[in-house]
Amino acid sequence: MSSTNSAFATLNAAQRDAVMHGEPRGSGGIQAAPLLVIAGAGTGKTSTLAHRVARLLLAGVPPERMLLLTFTRRAALQMTRRAQQGMADALATQATSPARARDHLRLPWSGTFHSIGNRLIREYAPRLGLDPGFSVLDRGDAADLMDVVRHRLGCSKTVKRFPRKDTCLGLYSHRVNTQRPLRHTLETAYPWCLDWEEQLTALCRAYVEAKLEQQVLDYDDLLLYWHVMTADPALSAEIGSRFDHVLVDEYQDTNVVQAEILLRLKPDGAGLTVVGDDAQAIYSFRAASIDNILGFPSRFTPTARVVTLEENYRSTQPVLDAANTLMAEGARQYRKHLHSARGSGALPQYVTVLDEQAQAIFVADCVLEARERGVDLRRQAVLFRNADHSDVLELELMRRNIPYVKYGGLKFLEAAHVKDLLALLRWADNPRNRIAAFRVLQLLPGMGPANAQRACEAFEASGFAWQALAVHPVPLTTRETWGPLTRLLADIGAENAPWEGQVGRVRQWYEPQLERLYEAAHARRGDLDQLERLSQQHLTRESFVTELTLDPPQATGDLAGDPLLDEDYLVLSTVHSAKGQEWESVHVLNVTDGTFPSEFAAGRAELLEEERRLLYVAMTRARTELRLIAPVRFYVTQQQGMGDRYVHGARSRFLTEPVMRRFQRVTAGETKEGFGAHKAAEGPRIDVANRLRDMW
């Protein structure tokens, strides 16, 4: 055990306490009661969890008997790499063969909730009435299927406005992930849809039937099916017995379904470790429930142990003082006081500017000034509540020739050309996938919705035989491209067709369609190049199309290379997309009431508290420099009755006087005479007083 302790010597006392939780079992391994690690921002959460994984492995827990759950594949890979490093450090002090070391460095059950759910569902598919070869729909395809069902039920022909496909899918997802009745979802999240409760119930039921018919699952189904599996006591016990330890990252982001899955796998909490920060719970719009982390200890008898990490390795103390004071005024939380391992620094700034244009000029000035001081653009970030809040700033950055990358915008799988190519692969993988088939068929000239529908129906009537599709009559303008498509589908859709080279063959067929259908085809090929490279990392087509759906890249530019072709670039990001990141210098835009908190949170205490936590997340992304920027007025154009006008921006209600004492107050763009003042031009004096008297 001494070598184990030496491997964790770099941890602080609280981290080590969490890592070493539990007692060795006589038969090998660790017997541990449920553990909750409250990890404040920048306190080394990932390192702590990774070291706990390493400690369990060193204690003799077989890697295959550990389930590590995260919310992104990147987090799972990072966790695995850090655990491997901890293992390597410890094994270096032991007489261990390289072969044994390598055996311990594999974590076969490490991944996201959805990817692990996908694996288990495929494994138990026959017992669930599913074909193990089912397809997983991405968000766009799921919305398209919802739209098909919506039209089929006549919801698009109503006299009154009926919710669109994305809204219908959103409320379906919210109801599934909250496990509350549809009426609750409508009352709390979609009140304007309440009049349609009966029709929406029928629509959701028909949507479920359509998925079953086509043997497709959407993103939510990967949790829902897992949840249904664990509702069966025998099956839940069977799955739970496969794992001695279950470790969960970012537990504050779990929804009701995920929390219940964990409790059913480990009803007594034995071997269950969850790590998170209630102060960073900001995803209620995705049905995440802060009650999961707040109520975790009391779910077990005796109550779960709680270890709190408060030593921050990211930010200077003045930044933490501001964040601590902000959260101290919040309700319902684990109380903690972050203290910096980096020591002191400059006070964060609260900057008042005239308007959004002045805000943009100020940020650009600060960014360039910091760059001259040696702070690379990539070590600086501008954060905002909503994606459109950076519009004015982006124009100013382009005017100043400051390159930037923006996160929180277009997702990779939302790009039309990416969806096209993947649709063909999905159709080949699952001939029942009507949505994929419908998209592929309409890529051909002359093949509109009606002809595509007839082809799909004929294909289904043939028992999904590719040969039957080849002889289906098509319009004259389609015949030239019909043969190559059907031959390609028959070849790659054959039962034992080799996966190697399939993406290349699909690209060869698709690129003439790309040239015909889209502008800037050359630029789009970069994404296709990357798709082909990604496919080479997977052993099967099913693995490729499923895993890409479960954890896609955030933006097209993330995979296609640096879109700016520049040596450096500024990071623009929504606060939600910035979670888990850090920068040397951080600017937060529009810190006024109506933005922080959002106007849509007014009147609901739980939403207001989440908005407080959102501001906290934004502030704690900063290592050294933090600026909250508050425009005095905003130019609005949406109020047609009043015309375009300025509205006043009030100070955020979260920035109380105790919080403001933690900031240096700065006014940018102001003279002694006030905003916009300038020296009067020389000229003759005008007697205004007498002119006014003469009017009467």
Side-chain angles (χ1 to χ4, degrees), residues 420 442-444 510 512-519:
D420 291 344
Q442 291 187 89
L443 295 175
L444 302 179
Y510 176 66
Q513 320 311 321
L514 179 70
E515 295 278 357
R516 179 174 56 82
L517 293 169
Y518 302 111
E519 297 180 355

Side-chain angles (χ1 to χ4, degrees), residues 350 591 615 628 651-657 659-660 663:
Y350 176 80
V591 186
L615 181 57
L628 307 186
R651 192 173 82 191
S652 169
R653 70 190 70 185
F654 299 142
L655 300 181
T656 61
E657 281 305 314
V659 176
M660 289 299 294
F663 286 86

Side-chain angles (χ1 to χ4, degrees), residues 326-610:
L326 173 74
M327 290 307 299
E329 299 181 352
R332 295 188 69 213
Q333 58 179 297
Y334 291 98
R335 298 291 175 180
K336 53 186 169 296
H337 187 84
L338 301 183
H339 53 92
S340 175
R342 297 184 59 212
S344 191
L347 285 175
Q349 293 182 341
Y350 176 80
V351 185
T352 305
V353 296
L354 177 61
D355 53 23
E356 290 177 284
Q357 183 60 50
Q359 177 177 244
I361 293 171
F362 173 77
V363 170
D365 287 344
C366 289
V367 165
L368 290 178
E369 190 272 333
R371 179 175 177 269
E372 291 302 312
R373 289 191 279 109
V375 183
D376 293 341
L377 295 178
R378 277 176 286 191
R379 295 167 62 200
Q380 305 181 59
V382 183
L383 308 183
F384 30 86
R385 178 65 176 79
N386 298 329
D388 61 344
H389 289 178
S390 66
D391 291 349
V392 177
L393 174 62
E394 290 179 57
L395 292 173
E396 183 66 17
L397 295 175
M398 287 187 284
R399 189 180 72 81
R400 301 275 200 104
N401 195 30
I402 302 175
Y404 65 90
V405 171
K406 184 175 179 179
Y407 297 98
L410 182 67
K411 303 294 187 292
F412 184 76
L413 293 184
E414 294 172 0
H417 53 291
V418 174
K419 290 178 68 70
D420 291 344
L421 193 143
L422 290 177
L424 202 152
L425 291 170
R426 290 191 178 108
W427 191 16
D429 201 59
N430 178 9
R432 294 174 178 267
N433 191 333
R434 177 76 69 90
I435 293 299
F438 203 65
R439 184 180 190 96
V440 171
L441 291 174
Q442 291 187 89
L443 295 175
L444 302 179
M447 188 61 83
N451 285 319
Q453 180 72 18
R454 284 192 285 271
C456 286
E457 292 171 352
F459 182 52
E460 184 175 345
S462 73
F464 305 100
W466 298 117
Q467 294 78 8
L469 186 66
V471 297
H472 176 75
V474 295
L476 183 62
T477 52
T478 311
R479 292 177 186 174
E480 184 178 346
T481 54
W482 187 250
L485 173 62
T486 55
R487 286 193 294 272
L488 174 64
L489 286 166
D491 287 347
I492 68 174
E495 185 173 351
N496 296 315
W499 163 236
E500 186 178 1
Q502 283 193 20
V503 175
R505 293 185 62 188
V506 170
R507 280 194 66 181
Q508 188 177 3
W509 174 84
Y510 176 66
E511 288 203 355
Q513 320 311 321
L514 179 70
E515 295 278 357
R516 179 174 56 82
L517 293 169
Y518 302 111
E519 297 180 355
H522 176 75
R524 296 173 186 263
R525 286 197 185 93
D527 292 332
L528 304 185
D529 290 339
Q530 190 62 32
L531 273 178
E532 190 166 3
R533 287 194 291 271
L534 281 175
S535 70
Q536 297 167 5
Q537 302 173 15
H538 294 264
L539 298 176
T540 65
R541 179 175 60 216
E542 178 272 319
S543 168
F544 173 61
V545 297
T546 300
E547 292 300 318
L548 195 62
T549 301
L550 295 182
D551 194 28
Q554 285 296 105
T556 304
D558 291 350
L559 280 186
D562 183 0
L564 305 163
L565 300 176
D566 202 287
E567 62 180 3
D568 199 10
Y569 49 83
L570 179 68
V571 176
L572 309 185
S573 176
T574 61
V575 179
H576 287 97
S577 296
K579 188 169 171 289
Q581 306 298 312
E582 62 181 59
W583 295 272
E584 194 68 24
S585 176
V586 170
H587 298 77
V588 187
L589 303 184
N590 298 346
V591 186
T592 58
D593 233 46
T595 302
F596 289 100
S598 167
E599 60 184 322
F600 299 108
R604 293 182 60 183
E606 68 275 14
L607 293 183
L608 283 173
E609 284 305 305
E610 179 161 326

